[in-house]
Amino acid sequence: MAPAVPAPRRGEEPELLTAAWAGDPRAAHRLGRLYAERGDRAAAKHWWERAAAAGNVDSAYNLGIWHEKHGSLVEAVTWYESAAAAGDAEAAANLATLLLEQRGDVAAARRWFEAAAEAGSRVAARRLALVCEDAGEQGAAREWHRRAAAAGDTASAHDLGFLAYAAGEDEETVRWWEFAARGGHVESAYCMGLYLDAARDPEGAEAYYRLAARNEHPAAASWLGGIALSRGDLHTARAWYERAAQAGRVEDQRMAGFVCVELGDCGTAGHWFGRAAAGGDAEAAFTYGLLLIAEFGDLTGGRHWFRQAARAGHHGAALELGGLLTASGELGEAHEWLSDPPPPVWARPAEPELAARAELAAAATGRRGGEALDAAALTEILSTWDLMTRPLHDHSDVVGWLVRRCGTHAEAVEHLASVRGALLRPGTAPWPSPAEVQHVLATARDLRGRLGLE
């Protein structure tokens, strides 16, 4: 490729005009830049066309950009092709992007992405890796991601970490997420925290959560709030939960409310419970109702939020609402809530390693717009198995024991065990589908009921 043409200097327009009219393509190109900087698009296009016709690759590339912004995509493709055919990697990458995103021509886009990547374009290497992923070519995808990552692309390093995690390759997972985290990729720092929590390394996990939280990652702040709470450090827990809550996470708004209650700050607790309740959190609505009645004597407000929570399926709220309605003589509605309240929901706190595995599986399945699994459902599945099997000393025939104890079909218990294994040991089986998760979740709830563990 020819060396870059220097930008025109102040006052040299007459000189450039003379040279350009005489047929100098470099002067015509520089003249086009001068007019582009002045905002004279027509003059810039004119001189770049003259330069490109004389073989100036930079002008052909600039015309591709010009037509992409101000002209037609057909012309943009034509000029990008001209520059790309002469070896311009950026033109090849831009051409491939247009072919892929505007025309849906995957085969042609792939050829130009590959040409650009081979010429050293980091952007093209990453885009090519994603095209290969979409085609199911995991080996090729990894190779192009590696090239992009080696050139400093932390997003590709992050993706390599996920591809390795889904394949059960622990060393590669750590290698790439650490690499990306060191390069400033915040989500990789958070994923490293989850990974270390799943591996029962709480100290290492906390360090990465702190790194992510310093860069405003709300979920990392939430985990740090939980860590502080487990240590009994309510003030630190409040600070972290409130940072997460400010980002709009309703579960952390609820937790901030709980911590504020423990600290005796009922006014702020009400603020957080109210925000979470308004965001649709049934537990927060129920707790907000309790707070309004107990601390502020607000029966009307309490009833309002009990009703909101009950309608969202909260068992305790339905019973409290029924009691209040009975006391006020509204027996018809009271009977409706008391005679058929919603069933209790799973409310046991999960072990950190199980919650971390669930989050990682949800993140892995939700990559690049995929249908992410429900982390709360996955956590409930893993926690249910842990709770059911905790009393056992011999785990050699857990499935058989559950079948004999509960009278459940062996196939259902085996399916639950299979999904659990896929979540705890990535790479041993494909991720479950959302439908599988719901089916297995129903089995887990049925087993809990049969064992009296609700």
Side-chain angles (χ1 to χ4, degrees):
M1 187 182 299
V5 178
R9 296 185 303 274
R10 183 185 299 274
E12 65 174 342
E13 181 179 355
E15 177 185 337
L16 288 175
L17 278 168
T18 300
W21 281 117
D24 184 339
R26 287 168 61 86
H29 173 72
R30 294 174 69 191
L31 198 56
R33 287 184 60 179
L34 180 65
Y35 287 123
E37 289 170 2
R38 291 180 181 176
D40 189 341
R41 296 201 302 259
K45 175 174 174 285
H46 168 78
W47 288 109
W48 281 333
E49 285 177 343
R50 287 178 65 101
N56 188 281
V57 176
D58 289 333
S59 281
Y61 173 69
N62 284 358
L63 284 167
I65 294 176
W66 192 97
H67 280 286
E68 188 175 352
K69 290 182 178 179
H70 311 296
S72 73
L73 292 180
V74 172
E75 289 291 321
V77 167
T78 298
W79 287 113
Y80 279 143
E81 280 182 338
S82 176
D88 190 296
E90 288 186 53
N94 287 7
L95 172 61
T97 301
L98 275 184
L99 293 171
L100 182 64
E101 296 180 356
Q102 301 297 329
R103 293 186 178 176
D105 190 343
V106 178
R110 183 168 178 165
R111 288 195 301 273
W112 286 112
F113 276 137
E114 189 164 348
E118 292 287 7
S121 170
R122 184 179 79 183
V123 171
R126 171 162 177 75
R127 292 300 301 269
L128 182 57
L130 298 178
V131 168
C132 291
E133 277 197 62
D134 290 338
E137 301 172 21
Q138 295 299 309
R142 285 191 175 201
E143 177 57 31
W144 289 112
H145 274 312
R146 285 190 189 99
R147 290 204 194 188
D153 193 303
T154 57
S156 272
H158 179 66
D159 285 339
L160 281 167
F162 263 118
L163 293 174
Y165 181 74
E169 300 168 5
D170 290 343
E171 289 186 8
E172 284 289 287
T173 300
V174 171
R175 173 190 174 192
W176 290 113
W177 279 343
E178 283 186 337
F179 177 92
R182 286 197 302 270
H185 197 281
V186 180
E187 192 65 26
S188 282
Y190 177 62
C191 286
M192 270 303 301
L194 292 174
Y195 181 87
L196 293 172
D197 245 333
R200 301 188 180 186
D201 179 2
E203 292 80 11
E206 183 176 357
Y208 275 100
Y209 291 144
R210 288 184 180 279
L211 176 60
R214 282 200 298 269
N215 289 281
E216 305 304 323
H217 195 292
S222 177
W223 276 84
L224 290 169
I227 291 169
L229 192 60
S230 70
R231 294 171 178 163
D233 185 350
L234 295 178
H235 291 283
T236 300
R238 173 178 176 170
W240 285 120
Y241 279 132
E242 287 187 333
R243 283 184 65 173
Q246 291 287 4
R249 290 168 54 94
V250 294
E251 63 270 29
D252 293 307
Q253 290 168 353
R254 181 193 344 119
M255 289 305 300
F258 282 130
V259 174
C260 287
V261 167
E262 291 297 315
L263 289 170
D265 186 353
C266 292
T268 306
H271 165 77
W272 289 120
F273 285 139
R275 283 187 61 176
D281 187 276
E283 184 65 30
F286 171 61
T287 309
Y288 192 28
L290 291 175
L291 182 70
L292 288 172
I293 293 170
E295 295 295 331
F296 304 105
D298 183 357
L299 288 174
T300 301
R303 280 176 50 163
H304 168 78
W305 289 111
F306 285 157
R307 185 173 281 108
Q308 295 296 319
R311 287 173 177 166
H314 195 284
H315 178 81
L319 298 181
E320 290 286 347
L321 178 59
L324 285 178
L325 292 168
T326 299
S328 64
E330 301 171 63
L331 301 182
E333 187 183 356
H335 178 72
E336 291 178 15
W337 289 114
L338 294 173
S339 63
D340 187 26
V345 297
W346 179 253
R348 292 175 182 263
E351 295 295 325
E353 60 267 23
L354 301 181
R357 285 290 181 193
E359 275 207 49
L360 284 171
T365 54
R367 281 184 62 239
R368 303 185 54 227
E371 187 173 4
L373 298 177
D374 183 351
L378 300 182
T379 302
E380 184 176 342
I381 290 167
L382 293 174
S383 297
T384 295
W385 186 277
D386 180 61
L387 181 65
M388 291 189 304
T389 61
R390 198 173 291 166
L392 294 178
H393 298 293
D394 180 7
H395 288 253
S396 60
D397 186 27
V398 175
V399 171
W401 177 80
L402 285 170
V403 170
R404 291 189 298 272
R405 182 82 182 273
C406 303
T408 306
H409 288 295
E411 292 83 358
V413 181
E414 287 169 354
H415 193 193
L416 169 60
S418 173
V419 168
R420 170 185 175 269
L423 297 175
L424 290 182
R425 295 182 297 279
T428 57
W431 296 119
S433 68
E436 278 186 283
V437 169
Q438 291 306 309
H439 182 72
V440 167
L441 185 59
T443 299
R445 289 171 175 171
D446 177 64
L447 289 171
R448 289 203 312 266
R450 290 170 184 260
L451 291 171
L453 297 175
E454 293 292 358

